[in-house]
Amino acid sequence: MALVDLASAFSPPAPGTGIANLVDPVIDTLVGTLHNTLSQVEQNGGGIWGLLPSPQLPAWVGGPNANQPYDGGHAPWAPINTTNSNPYTSAPDTGKTRYYDFTIAECTIAPDGVELPNEVCINGQFPGPMIEANYGDWIEDGPTDYDNITDLGPVMLNEWYHNNYSYLVHQVMAPNEEIAVGGPNAPSSQNNLINGKMAYDCSKTTLPCTPNAGLSKFNFTSGATHKLRLINTGAASIQKFSIDGHNLTVVANDYVPIQPYTTDHVSLGIGQRADVLVNGTGKPGEAYWMRSNIRGCGINNDGISPLALAAIYYEGAPQDQKPNTTSSVNDASQQYCANDPLQQTIPVYEENAPEPSVTETINMELKSNGTHQLYYMNNISFRADYNNPVLQQVHEGNLTFDRVTAVHNYGTNATVRLVVLNYDTQPHPMHLHGHNMQILNVGFGPWDGTVVRQSNPQRRDVQLMPPGSPTNPTHMVVQWFQDNPGVWPFHCHIAWHLSAGLYFTVLENPDAIQDDPKFRPTTRIGEQTCRGWDAFTRRVVVDQIDDGV
């Protein structure tokens, strides 16, 4: 690919020409009515997601409800908040632990009207139930810093497949000879969902299918400010979220509060989250489309239904009314495979990026190992050993690891900087466990040493890395403080890329893992699990078709 093509693909789209309304004719094909023809149990197994009245979260668990004023002085985390204290070293402790019981089992559901057996549900429903906790509880959910908002809770966005996960992974890991005769190694999704719902053109499938199964619906109030907690919960696709006739004010990325900025759409890679505020500029009785689109960015979709829709109803609007609104989002944005510019994403709590203790360059490539197409990071394609986990080895004092476990031992270095070069033609939402990364730069070509706002760079735990090419890479430069000893994965969040080995293991301060008493209860549980697994695998040969993560 020519240099000019890649540079153009990476540049933000210009406003104006080529709007996303080109997909609007599809709405009439897929959505005949907003009177749901399936019950919530038939469509999603149960739960509250997508139903009216839409859920409204209180200012805190056990606190005032959404239509009462927020009083931060009485919040469980007061007087600590995200602007006056370091969230990594001085987080509040409410003394509260919240417990949830989850049953994971197969179920038959039809999120888009296509009935699928052997899907995975949590407590009998898809999407699963909501987990609620306060800032300072053992399960953390960041506090609000905004008064008088209506918190509508999670808005989950994910592409949807009409084949089960096992089938898809086998397709991903097909050997080279099958790919050579036309077998794809990247599955195509059949639909896109908002909070687990969408319609489908039943003439396009031989599976049992119910038209107009039902879309998700939300209540807005004229003049009010609404908070949406956007989450890309999918497997592969980059989501482009927008609301017709409304702007979005982004106030947090991956739970890190940022200085607000306004946009007409938000791009989310797999696993990314964004909190947005939406002013209720509509009038009573009006209805608007909420949209999330997965066209573009090189991720496979069969083209039948890449656009997810949900309906927003202002007070007094008939709740089966079909909105008659259009999107003004520039269509070129669908091809823009990156997050918003780092210059816009300024954390509220300032944290400097010092000169690193150690810097490592990571080259990411897709290539054949002779039998399969695999991803490599510095010429290693990761593969887990279920019978010899890295954390267990470290606890036992063994710091000699198999090459394929891709362990990078950064010891007791205070800070680590990675310069990641993407020689692949796909985007990669890169995720680090155990830390928020400081995102120092993202761009085209080799890194030139420039740091975007070194005094306070963007922090998040997933950063979208744009596509490169085998000869002209893109770069992403990240850094973190080594203040959380452990064994932490650094990997691409796209399921198929992860299956193919795009992963390495960060080993942080192994001495602390061996010596610190706080690791011992966790490790004892791990030892029990490992003994049980060893006994099981002596009886059963486990088919580890992919890298095992």
Side-chain angles (χ1 to χ4, degrees), residues 73 205-206 314 515:
T205 181
T206 59
Y314 280 88
D515 300 336

Side-chain angles (χ1 to χ4, degrees), residues 268-312:
L268 292 176
I270 300 300
Q272 289 190 310
R273 293 85 71 205
D275 291 355
V276 300
L277 303 181
V278 186
N279 291 328
T281 55
K283 298 177 182 178
E286 291 184 338
Y288 292 82
W289 286 123
M290 174 188 291
R291 304 168 184 255
S292 199
N293 207 324
I294 58 174
R295 288 188 306 120
C297 288
I299 306 298
N300 288 1
N301 176 272
D302 67 7
I304 295 173
S305 184
L307 175 67
L309 296 167
I312 293 174

Side-chain angles (χ1 to χ4, degrees), residues 315-343:
E315 63 271 30
Q319 296 186 351
D320 58 357
Q321 175 183 341
K322 186 175 175 180
N324 185 26
T325 59
T326 57
S327 173
S328 60
V329 177
N330 191 304
D331 191 56
S333 68
Q334 300 303 324
Q335 311 303 324
Y336 179 52
C337 304
N339 294 127
D340 288 339
L342 296 177
Q343 289 80 0

Side-chain angles (χ1 to χ4, degrees), residues 116-162:
L116 301 174
N118 306 318
E119 295 299 308
V120 176
C121 286
I122 302 176
N123 291 1
Q125 67 179 72
F126 170 82
M130 180 159 52
I131 299 173
E132 295 185 80
N134 291 319
Y135 188 39
D137 292 353
W138 273 100
I139 302 174
E140 182 178 335
D141 184 17
T144 180
D145 293 316
Y146 297 91
D147 296 344
N148 302 320
I149 66 168
T150 301
D151 192 336
L152 297 181
V155 179
M156 293 165 281
L157 315 170
N158 67 280
E159 83 276 24
W160 186 246
Y161 301 83
H162 292 166

Side-chain angles (χ1 to χ4, degrees), residues 26-27 30-31 38 43-44 110-114 160 191-200 210-216 289 305-310:
V26 177
I27 294 176
L30 297 178
V31 184
L38 291 180
Q43 190 173 12
N44 297 100
D112 61 355
V114 178
W160 186 246
N191 213 331
N192 199 26
L193 312 179
I194 296 177
N195 277 359
K197 295 179 182 291
M198 186 49 193
Y200 191 72
T210 302
N212 300 310
L215 306 186
S216 290
W289 286 123
S305 184
L307 175 67
L309 296 167

